[in-house]
Amino acid sequence: MNELQKLIKHLDSLPNNTARKEFLNSIQRNPELSRHHLRRIACNILVQENFVDKYYRENFSKMLKKLFSKICSIFKEFFKALLRN
């Protein structure tokens, strides 16, 4: 249980969900940790339970900003392709 608490504490210190997911993936891909290492087991539990998305919810304004930027980039690419033809 101590490893799980350490991982959660470290996840709390990271700036966003992308960094948190990358951190968990780096633990899973670490060849120095065996399959039965407590840190890897705790990490697998967090990933399987989708802990990052459930516990660290982004606020509504951040979600809107991301959505708006994706839509803008789609239209930007569309208009670039349209002007080329």
Side-chain angles (χ1 to χ4, degrees):
M1 200 58 147
N2 196 16
E3 283 296 322
L4 190 61
Q5 291 171 351
K6 286 180 186 177
L7 281 176
I8 292 172
K9 190 174 184 177
H10 186 75
L11 289 174
D12 287 339
S13 69
L14 295 173
N16 56 28
N17 285 353
T18 305
R20 291 179 183 107
K21 288 179 182 179
E22 287 177 8
F23 172 71
L24 292 176
N25 287 335
S26 70
I27 292 173
Q28 287 181 322
R29 286 182 270 135
N30 187 352
E32 295 176 5
L33 296 177
S34 68
R35 289 177 35 181
H36 305 293
H37 193 275
L38 292 178
R39 187 170 181 91
R40 181 173 273 183
I41 292 171
C43 176
N44 289 340
I45 290 170
L46 292 176
V47 170
Q48 288 174 356
E49 294 297 320
N50 205 11
F51 180 80
V52 172
D53 290 332
K54 289 180 183 177
Y55 187 75
Y56 301 102
R57 292 194 172 214
E58 293 182 355
N59 61 19
F60 188 67
S61 64
K62 284 186 180 179
M63 289 178 11
L64 281 179
K65 285 179 185 178
K66 282 185 181 179
L67 179 64
F68 185 71
S69 67
K70 286 181 184 178
I71 290 172
C72 287
S73 66
I74 290 170
F75 279 112
K76 186 177 180 181
E77 294 298 320
F78 174 74
F79 287 124
K80 279 183 182 178
L82 188 64
L83 291 174
R84 285 184 206 149
N85 294 332

